[in-house]
Amino acid sequence: MEDENNYFEASLTELYAENEQLKGMMNNLQDENRTQKKINSQLKLEITHIKKSSLLQTDISKTVVETDGLLTDDYKSVKTNETNSSTSGIQQRGTSVNNSASTSYKRLLSTDTQPVVTNGVAFFAYLSKSEPNAGAHQTFVFDVDHTNIGGHYSHHTGVFSCPSHGVYVFSWSIYCYRGGYVYSELVVNSSPVSGKFAGAGSVTNILSSTDLAIVELNAGDEVYIRTPPNHAASGQVVSDLPYRSTFSGWKLF
């Protein structure tokens, strides 16, 4: 019987070791995937810059329209005296020209086919249901993206991919069920930036913790919320009405 117990204990130890190895391999694969996504985002950004440069050259080459008549708010007129080129005047904002000299009006062309360029970035997401016993080094996937301007947050992975260099603001709130506790941290490219602790071990109520961080990011950087590598949650991460565990962010400038 003792030999059997020793055998089972040894087998269990091996299984634990193999499980840790698999976790390590999975973390390495996730890091490699994030690196590849960062490279793809940088390539997309370079392509966007090339397209913008091409559109700018097209706009510069456009001609202007000349017409005679009464000015409107969209027009600027330049009056040129035929007999004396040194005498000229400028009429704007709906002013008509009563003069025997010829008057020419110029307006830049506008077209609905020109692309509208915007750099607005903002998202707000929350967990659709509570998370029981979140393990160590686990990414929280806030799977309901209530707001996702720019589409740079993924509700499949819980990761925000930075579209361009700038200063960004991130905030997250974690609710913890009574009797438990949760460690959480904001991570940029696998490096923790800020952390928070929600502990309800000595109370009978649901408690929460909220944190906010202002971070300078480059295009392709990835931001997400996870538990630390050495701290698993104890108890349940709550996300159910009226309590929601949330993650949000936006570009400041």
Side-chain angles (χ1 to χ4, degrees):
M1 179 66 69
E2 184 177 353
D3 291 338
E4 289 183 357
N5 290 337
N6 292 335
Y7 172 76
F8 286 130
E9 289 179 358
S11 299
L12 187 59
T13 301
E14 290 179 359
L15 288 174
Y16 278 129
E18 291 178 358
N19 186 44
E20 292 300 321
Q21 290 178 352
L22 289 174
K23 286 183 177 180
M25 293 173 64
M26 183 176 296
N27 291 333
N28 290 335
L29 289 174
Q30 289 176 344
D31 290 339
E32 291 177 2
N33 185 41
R34 293 189 181 103
T35 301
Q36 188 61 47
K37 286 184 177 179
K38 181 177 180 180
I39 294 173
N40 292 341
S41 297
Q42 291 174 341
L43 290 175
K44 289 180 180 178
L45 185 62
E46 291 179 3
I47 292 173
T48 301
H49 286 325
I50 293 172
K51 289 182 177 179
K52 287 181 180 179
S53 298
S54 177
L55 288 172
L56 180 60
Q57 293 297 327
T58 302
D59 290 338
I60 292 175
S61 64
K62 287 183 178 179
T63 59
V64 295
V65 175
E66 295 189 359
T67 183
D68 293 330
L70 185 64
L71 284 175
T72 64
D73 286 346
D74 292 332
Y75 290 87
K76 292 183 179 180
S77 65
V78 179
K79 182 179 72 175
T80 304
N81 194 319
E82 290 180 339
T83 59
N84 189 351
S85 60
S86 64
T87 306
S88 62
I90 297 176
Q91 302 290 333
Q92 295 182 351
R93 295 291 178 184
T95 303
S96 61
V97 179
N98 296 320
N99 195 294
S100 60
S102 66
T103 305
S104 63
Y105 306 95
K106 295 184 178 181
R107 183 182 68 170
L108 292 176
L109 281 174
S110 62
T111 172
D112 293 337
T113 60
Q114 292 179 346
V116 178
V117 180
T118 176
N119 59 351
V121 179
F123 73 92
F124 170 75
Y126 60 85
L127 296 175
S128 61
K129 59 182 179 180
S130 299
E131 181 80 19
N133 298 317
H137 208 254
Q138 175 177 326
T139 300
F140 288 106
V141 180
F142 299 88
D143 54 322
V144 179
D145 50 350
H146 184 274
T147 301
N148 195 7
I149 299 173
H152 303 292
Y153 174 79
S154 172
H155 64 269
H156 299 293
T157 62
V159 177
F160 168 79
S161 298
C162 178
S164 60
H165 174 263
V167 176
Y168 293 77
V169 181
F170 297 97
S171 178
W172 75 101
S173 297
I174 299 294
Y175 280 89
C176 177
Y177 197 69
R178 58 179 179 267
Y181 60 85
V182 180
Y183 290 89
S184 62
E185 58 186 10
L186 178 76
V187 181
V188 178
N189 297 333
S190 301
S191 298
V193 173
S194 181
K196 206 67 178 175
F197 172 78
S202 59
V203 298
T204 58
N205 300 322
I206 295 175
L207 293 184
S208 68
S209 67
T210 300
D211 202 1
L212 182 144
I214 301 175
V215 187
E216 182 180 5
L217 299 177
N218 294 313
D221 286 346
E222 295 186 331
V223 184
Y224 52 96
I225 306 297
R226 75 179 184 193
T227 55
N230 56 344
H231 287 292
S234 174
Q236 183 172 236
V237 176
V238 178
S239 189
D240 195 8
L241 291 176
Y243 310 101
R244 287 294 192 194
S245 292
T246 64
F247 180 33
S248 60
W250 61 96
K251 187 174 184 179
L252 190 59
F253 58 83

